[in-house]
Amino acid sequence: MTGPADARAYIRTVGITPDAGGSADLADQIAALQPRLFRFGLTLTRDQEDAADLAQETVARALAASWRFTPGTNLPAWVFRIMRNLHLNRVRDGRAGPKVESLDSVREVAFAETIDLSSVEKAAIERASLAAVREAFAKLPAKYALPIHLVTVEGLSYAETAGVLDVPIGTVMSRIYRGRRLLLAALGGLA
Amino acid sequence: MSACAEHRRFLVAIADGEAAAVPAGTLEHIRDCPDCAGELDLHRAAAVRLRQALQLPAAQPAPKRRAGRAGLAAGGAIAAALLAAAGIFALNVSRPDPVLAAARAGQQPPQFQSSDAGQIGTWCAEESGRPMPEMDLPPLRPVGARMDHQAGAGIVTVYYVSPDGRPLTIGWLDASVAPAGGRSVTSRLVDGRLVLVALSARGTAVISGQGPASLLWSTAAAVEESTAGN
């Protein structure tokens, strides 16, 4: 044997790693996203095993499709979008559990927008235990939790988040606004 | 207060550093409105706390087996699906996972140490009682091996070091142990790390290590190449 083929050559025979146009560096960057994908997967699925499963398949899909990635754009945002689409496909196929929303949309929007937060103290938010914050976040409906996760935890811009979730920027802002208000109400003991 | 309502939805944009999307009139209003300024502080505090809470590392469990879940999706009646789901769950929990065992075996120290690929191959063949594939995978340098019987499989682990000093292991499973899927190589996460499972003519190779993903992929290519003629 003459020596191991490099990752780029391997791409052409296996079909799971980046094919022509991809690179070993890009493959490494995609693989390095796994912890962040798992974390986003948790917000998407609310289930540890489903999140790990989704993260694994997302990496495989991203590697296989890496030739489509546009250099200079946000790689995590591109991979998060793959993950979100994969999750939607699974929900449609019945391979992921249906989303359970705590309130119907109309009541939820009204509650989120009209609740009076004037009695909530900033110090109470700052002192809230991390477990309490995680619990309150876990109770948020997915449509609010997803943009909050991408912006607050992953540091994506509103425009990038809109691209991942396939909604207008204004919708991203509205959902973050309502979701954060619901979160503040929960942490402030109002909900 | 009614004036506040039309400006409030922009508070999160300011808190998130997206002020360019906020109308100038809203910025002026917030400057002069203690209620809105107070809520802006709350949004900022919530963002900080949320970031702290969610950025903590989370333990990753092993992914579910895809074949079982796909089969479940194809099921018809809800009751049947529930029964199937219960069965598959039990299967997932109880079935030994040789890939997981092989990846973890590589985290144990070698039982036999040598830099001679031939000696390592002989030791592995004697310990496992089966013919072993080519151990020489340049530019990787072999450094040792170990033999384990776990998860219903005989696992021969060969230890390598890359030219830049990164450790890498190849766990050879019995030829009868093959992951589902039909692909020659599949990837999965084990304990939060990428592991490649390569099917070859000489058995299933579980490739793991501390190096970059490209090192794992190139090793998978080398494994395929080295066993292609066998």
Side-chain angles (χ1 to χ4, degrees):
Chain A
M1 119 179 214
T2 57
D6 64 19
R8 186 184 288 268
Y10 187 59
I11 287 159
R12 288 191 282 273
T13 58
V14 175
I16 190 172
T17 51
D19 64 5
S23 70
D25 281 350
L26 186 57
D28 289 342
Q29 290 173 41
I30 291 171
L33 288 173
Q34 282 168 348
R36 293 168 68 181
L37 290 171
F38 174 68
R39 212 165 45 197
F40 185 52
L42 275 179
T43 301
L44 269 171
T45 66
R46 313 294 172 103
D47 180 277
Q48 292 231 350
E49 284 192 355
D50 281 343
D53 197 23
L54 193 59
Q56 175 189 318
E57 191 165 344
T58 300
V59 168
R61 295 282 181 101
L63 287 170
S66 61
W67 60 275
R68 291 183 190 160
F69 174 68
T70 306
T73 60
N74 189 322
L75 178 66
W78 182 73
V79 181
F80 285 138
R81 183 177 169 87
I82 290 174
M83 185 180 226
R84 181 255 184 188
N85 289 340
L86 196 55
H87 175 66
L88 286 181
N89 289 340
R90 287 180 170 200
V91 170
R92 286 191 199 107
D93 293 348
R95 283 194 287 152
K99 287 181 288 183
V100 178
E101 311 273 307
S102 56
L103 295 167
D104 69 71
S105 291
V106 176
R107 284 174 53 209
E108 187 179 84
V109 168
F111 177 72
E113 294 197 347
T114 59
I115 189 167
D116 181 6
L117 297 175
S118 61
S119 65
V120 178
E121 294 181 4
K122 182 183 171 190
I125 304 303
E126 292 170 334
R127 283 198 309 266
S129 73
L130 296 182
V133 175
R134 280 193 289 271
E135 187 182 341
F137 181 74
K139 288 179 179 172
L140 282 184
K143 65 183 172 187
Y144 301 142
L146 293 176
I148 288 176
H149 182 111
L150 291 171
V151 169
T152 306
V153 181
E154 294 300 340
L156 267 57
S157 69
Y158 280 17
E160 289 166 338
T161 300
V164 172
L165 301 178
D166 202 18
V167 295
I169 291 178
T171 303
V172 168
M173 184 157 48
S174 299
R175 289 182 180 178
I176 291 177
Y177 170 64
R178 291 174 195 139
R180 282 247 191 87
R181 293 196 106 232
L182 290 173
L183 197 69
L184 286 166
L187 294 176
L190 302 178
Chain B
M1 223 33 162
S2 60
C4 293
E6 66 181 89
H7 298 297
R8 264 200 194 128
R9 75 188 195 96
F10 293 102
L11 293 176
V12 288
I14 298 171
D16 291 332
E18 299 263 354
V22 181
T26 296
L27 293 172
E28 284 176 25
H29 169 85
I30 293 167
R31 218 170 15 240
D32 299 330
C33 173
D35 287 341
C36 287
E39 185 169 328
L40 176 58
D41 279 346
L42 290 179
H43 284 295
R44 283 178 170 146
V48 169
R49 207 66 182 130
L50 200 54
R51 200 172 298 122
Q52 292 168 338
L54 298 183
Q55 279 185 338
L56 291 176
Q60 295 185 40
K64 293 174 181 172
R65 290 175 189 276
R66 182 143 344 279
R69 303 180 82 228
L72 177 63
I78 292 174
L82 287 172
L83 285 172
I88 287 164
F89 178 74
L91 199 63
N92 282 341
V93 170
S94 62
R95 180 190 289 172
D97 183 344
V99 171
L100 179 65
R104 289 183 173 164
Q107 294 169 19
Q108 302 300 314
Q111 297 160 337
F112 176 75
Q113 295 189 12
S114 171
S115 59
D116 185 316
Q119 282 188 1
I120 292 175
T122 301
W123 184 88
C124 291
E126 288 176 355
E127 291 294 318
S128 66
R130 66 181 200 252
M132 294 304 301
E134 176 61 63
M135 297 286 153
D136 196 19
L137 298 173
L140 297 178
R141 184 166 55 86
V143 293
R146 69 176 288 124
M147 176 72 210
D148 295 279
H149 293 278
Q150 290 177 19
I155 304 167
V156 176
T157 305
V158 184
Y159 297 73
Y160 294 92
V161 175
S162 70
D164 61 352
R166 297 175 188 274
L168 181 144
T169 61
I170 301 178
W172 287 98
L173 304 176
D174 298 330
S176 60
V177 179
R183 274 189 179 129
S184 56
V185 173
T186 54
S187 68
R188 61 177 281 187
L189 296 177
V190 173
D191 300 330
R193 291 195 306 174
L194 179 67
V195 169
L196 301 185
V197 184
L199 295 179
S200 80
R202 284 299 182 92
T204 299
V206 179
I207 303 162
S208 59
Q210 295 178 10
S214 56
L215 176 62
L216 302 187
W217 288 113
S218 61
T219 302
V223 165
E224 275 201 333
E225 198 174 311
S226 70
T227 60
N230 290 330

